[in-house]
Amino acid sequence: DVKVTQSSRYLVKRTGEKVFLECVQDMDHENMFWYRQDPGLGLRLIYFSYDVKMKEKGDIPEGYSVSREKKERFSLILESASTNQTSMYLCASASPQGIRNTIYFGEGSWLTVV
Amino acid sequence: AQSVTQLDSHVSVSEGTPVLLRCNYSSSYSPSLFWYVQHPNKGLQLLLKYTSAATLVKGINGFEAEFKKSETSFHLTKPSAHMSDAAEYFCVVEGSSNTGKLIFGQGTTLQVKP
């Protein structure tokens, strides 16, 4: 079974803190993604990575950065957390064929910024 | 640019009755389309996908969807709802060819009444 693991399921952080959300996949996928999920807005793409050390901005990259030092791990970084970043964050991975195969999602990380 | 619109934010059915979740898409090319389901506090699970083969796509748990190019629709149906079908459903279109980037609809919450 493919596994996309988000190590932190529930976090509470203070405004201004630096926050790391970690994601690990075990299928040797090249492509990895970070989405943000908010009620009534569906999922919106923050960043994606198509190879180690490669990244591209998604639709809402402001206030976020990412790191992909190893193929299996894709980290989302909030340099200075703000209350409007309170949300559910979902990591996903896919093979280079992308859509023709399947994209696998982690179970999500609930972040509350107070 | 690709986009997807889910026409109902909330659908309520009785157990044993048919389910219809509506989705319209917009795409500059022949897209790949998906339905994902999310149960409470869980990640997203792929229900079914359309990738330019048969226009009637069968998925897991008795769900199916029909791709209608003339109507730019990809509605999700199930003949008989089960209590376990209560969840949030997302219609999704491929954002760009073969990258794995997805564009999500706003989601439809399905309530199943006993």
Side-chain angles (χ1 to χ4, degrees):
Chain A
D1 252 7
V2 172
K3 284 207 75 152
V4 179
T5 303
Q6 296 180 233
S7 52
S8 301
R9 292 296 314 277
Y10 302 95
L11 305 92
V12 179
K13 298 292 181 180
R14 295 193 184 278
T15 300
E17 274 193 78
K18 190 169 187 175
V19 181
F20 291 87
L21 300 180
E22 304 286 345
C23 176
V24 177
Q25 50 96 1
D26 65 359
M27 275 301 289
D28 203 36
H29 285 163
E30 275 75 4
N31 297 348
M32 295 188 74
F33 310 83
W34 275 105
Y35 287 89
R36 170 176 172 160
Q37 182 177 8
D38 298 290
L41 296 177
L43 276 73
R44 293 175 292 167
L45 182 64
I46 304 172
Y47 267 97
F48 75 101
S49 168
Y50 47 89
D51 203 350
V52 175
K53 297 191 186 296
M54 306 299 281
K55 61 186 179 184
E56 272 196 33
K57 293 180 180 179
D59 299 317
I60 52 164
E62 296 79 18
Y64 304 94
S65 62
V66 291
S67 172
R68 185 110 181 258
E69 296 296 319
K70 293 185 177 181
K71 191 175 186 181
E72 67 270 18
R73 187 179 297 270
F74 191 36
S75 302
L76 180 69
I77 303 158
L78 288 67
E79 294 289 343
S80 177
S82 63
T83 54
N84 63 12
Q85 293 178 309
T86 292
S87 188
M88 156 88 117
Y89 292 88
L90 282 160
C91 175
S93 74
S95 71
Q97 287 75 35
I99 295 297
R100 307 298 151 177
N101 292 330
T102 296
I103 294 175
Y104 297 90
F105 285 85
E107 292 201 329
S109 298
W110 285 98
L111 172 65
T112 301
V113 183
V114 298
Chain B
Q2 282 65 248
S3 67
V4 64
T5 301
Q6 292 181 243
L7 300 174
D8 306 291
S9 60
H10 189 100
V11 170
S12 182
V13 301
S14 297
E15 191 175 20
T17 64
V19 175
L20 170 64
L21 305 184
R22 298 182 295 162
C23 173
N24 287 347
Y25 71 91
S26 172
S27 179
S28 55
Y29 55 89
S30 185
S32 292
L33 291 157
F34 309 79
W35 277 97
Y36 279 85
V37 61
Q38 185 179 36
H39 288 93
N41 299 317
K42 294 289 187 182
L44 279 85
Q45 181 184 21
L46 181 67
L47 273 180
L48 49 83
K49 62 182 176 182
Y50 166 76
T51 56
S52 74
T55 56
L56 183 62
V57 183
K58 293 189 185 299
I60 61 171
N61 301 334
F63 284 95
E64 61 182 39
E66 187 171 7
F67 175 73
K68 291 187 176 180
K69 188 174 181 180
S70 60
E71 298 176 10
T72 62
S73 69
F74 190 57
H75 300 335
L76 181 71
T77 60
K78 183 174 181 178
S80 175
H82 191 272
M83 295 298 291
S84 62
D85 294 328
E88 189 157 21
Y89 292 79
F90 292 96
C91 183
V92 184
V93 65
E94 179 183 11
S96 56
S97 184
N98 285 338
T99 64
K101 290 174 68 176
L102 302 176
I103 296 172
F104 284 76
Q106 300 89 333
T108 299
T109 301
L110 176 64
Q111 180 187 24
V112 182
K113 296 178 288 187

